[in-house]
Amino acid sequence: MSFFEAFKFYKRKSPIPDLSSVVDTRDPEFNELLQSFNKQERKLPACFGLRSPETWKISEFKNHPGLIIIENPFTSQGERYWVTRCLRDFPKHPNRTNLNTHKLPEDARKDFWSFLGNVQCGKEHKKLRSCLRWSTLGYHHDWDTKVYSETEKHPFPEDLSALTIFLGEILSFRDFKAEAAIVNFYPQGSTLAGHTDHSEIDLKAPLFSISFGQGAIFLIGGYSKEDPATPIRLHSGDILIMSGASRLCYHAVPLILHGCLDTWNDDSSFSEDPKSAEMDKDVWNKCIDESFWTPFNQYISDCRINLNIRQVLSEGLTNL
């Protein structure tokens, strides 16, 4: 199927699409489509809520050179930490969100998670929760012009920047610098239409895409919507990297899945999980408290979060 046809196929509600051809890197049936990716051999410490890099399974797709997947390298506490940051902190003012398009009180637009917590669970709570669809960090992506601007920029989160530098070191993208991010929030039934990411000055730098919560079908094609597409199943904690030839390919999310494993609730290693100096110590300690974690757990038990991090400037540039 072409990318255009595949998006329509997996997006449809009735009849429910057949998922038997969706590539799941955890299923040995699809091993012939993958090749091992040679990660940094130098021993690196476990940090940022990640397991030791020596234990990671990293693969590259043979038919999409440069498309790399790390099967959930996060510990349970690591998943909880980043979910908390995505929901509680990243949508806060002055970061940009889509909430200005809704008739919401100013408090909701400035601190959405706190406002949501004061709304009683039920239809009103679920409706309000579904209002949040994206937040931008660092250089704010302009959805209309597709152009970044120095006047639309705020400090990039230190912990997220340090996480991607660490990942870049392991994957030999040592010059990567996180300068912009889009946090996408996917309630059940939502999609992301086919597109390419070409707004950045440096189009050779990789894109890091991290999934949390419910799984999704990620669709990637070629440089035209008529090119064949590959459907890939993403699980919570998976990190997908678009680099090289795959960097400018069409991609989309036609389907959010439900009933995925709650890997974030495995408390067997909470006391041993590694963090780093850049991480928020308060969030790190609180996220294993079940009374604190409950509302976050309720959200990702039904929804998906995607962190998409990119470099805007070419090496050596300090501004646009």
Side-chain angles (χ1 to χ4, degrees):
M1 281 188 286
S2 70
F3 182 91
F4 178 77
E5 292 169 331
F7 184 80
K8 287 179 64 178
F9 176 80
Y10 288 107
K11 180 184 177 181
R12 75 188 188 192
K13 301 293 191 297
S14 179
I16 297 173
D18 178 8
L19 304 184
S20 60
S21 297
V22 175
V23 178
D24 188 338
T25 60
R26 289 158 173 76
D27 187 340
E29 177 186 348
F30 297 102
N31 282 349
E32 63 181 27
L33 302 178
L34 306 168
Q35 58 191 6
S36 295
F37 184 87
N38 295 323
K39 58 180 178 286
Q40 170 63 251
E41 293 183 1
R42 182 167 59 86
K43 188 171 182 179
L44 294 168
C47 53
F48 302 105
L50 297 161
R51 293 190 294 273
S52 175
E54 289 83 6
T55 67
W56 298 3
K57 182 181 177 182
I58 309 177
S59 304
E60 183 175 5
F61 290 80
K62 291 180 180 179
N63 60 335
H64 295 285
L67 185 65
I68 304 161
I69 187 167
I70 308 175
E71 294 181 14
N72 188 5
F74 293 93
T75 64
S76 294
Q77 190 169 355
E79 285 192 77
R80 288 189 176 198
Y81 174 89
W82 291 107
V83 167
T84 301
R85 291 284 281 150
C86 286
L87 286 169
R88 191 192 75 167
D89 301 329
F90 293 161
K92 281 183 179 177
H93 181 79
N95 294 329
R96 302 286 190 263
T97 73
N98 69 299
L99 294 174
N100 285 332
T101 63
H102 296 274
K103 295 180 180 179
L104 296 174
E106 186 177 356
D107 289 350
R109 296 195 300 270
K110 287 190 173 182
D111 187 350
F112 181 78
W113 190 251
S114 294
F115 186 87
L116 182 65
N118 293 322
V119 177
Q120 188 173 358
C121 288
K123 289 184 178 179
E124 183 182 354
H125 184 277
K126 190 172 183 178
K127 182 179 179 181
L128 178 62
R129 185 186 71 179
S130 67
C131 288
L132 180 64
R133 300 303 300 273
W134 56 262
S135 176
T136 56
L137 318 174
Y139 280 101
H140 299 293
H141 186 263
D142 189 308
W143 301 91
D144 296 320
T145 66
K146 312 297 184 186
V147 174
Y148 293 104
S149 168
E150 283 294 327
T151 61
E152 290 294 321
K153 172 187 174 184
H154 288 96
F156 196 89
E158 290 185 11
D159 54 355
L160 187 55
S161 174
L163 169 66
T164 51
I165 290 173
F166 183 77
L167 294 172
E169 178 69 20
I170 292 170
L171 300 172
S172 298
F173 299 122
R174 296 184 181 87
D175 296 325
F176 181 83
K177 183 180 180 183
E179 293 168 325
I182 301 173
V183 190
N184 289 302
F185 302 92
Y186 294 92
Q188 287 293 325
S190 58
T191 64
L192 179 66
H195 66 284
T196 62
D197 291 304
H198 55 267
S199 299
E200 295 73 34
I201 293 175
D202 189 343
L203 296 177
K204 294 181 180 179
L207 300 180
F208 289 88
S209 177
I210 309 174
S211 298
F212 294 112
Q214 297 305 293
I217 304 301
F218 175 82
L219 196 66
I220 184 164
Y223 300 135
S224 164
K225 287 187 178 181
E226 300 305 318
D227 291 334
T230 302
I232 301 167
R233 181 168 189 152
L234 295 179
H235 300 261
S236 185
D238 284 353
I239 302 176
L240 193 73
I241 300 96
M242 296 177 67
S243 67
S246 75
R247 171 63 175 79
L248 291 173
C249 289
Y250 272 95
H251 55 283
V253 178
L255 181 64
I256 304 302
L257 304 172
H258 188 67
C260 302
L261 289 175
D262 58 342
T263 51
W264 51 87
N265 283 334
D266 178 7
D267 62 1
S268 60
S269 62
F270 277 172
S271 63
E272 302 172 5
D273 285 344
K275 61 183 184 68
S276 69
E278 294 89 351
M279 293 172 71
D280 187 314
K281 185 177 180 180
D282 181 60
V283 172
W284 181 256
N285 292 329
K286 280 184 176 179
C287 69
I288 59 174
D289 181 322
E290 294 306 321
S291 61
F292 173 85
W293 173 248
T294 294
F296 300 95
N297 185 66
Q298 290 172 342
Y299 184 93
I300 59 171
S301 293
D302 189 49
C303 303
R304 174 181 183 248
I305 300 171
N306 174 252
L307 260 171
N308 194 285
I309 308 110
R310 66 272 313 273
Q311 179 174 317
V312 174
L313 304 175
S314 298
E315 186 178 359
L317 292 180
T318 57
N319 54 58
L320 293 170

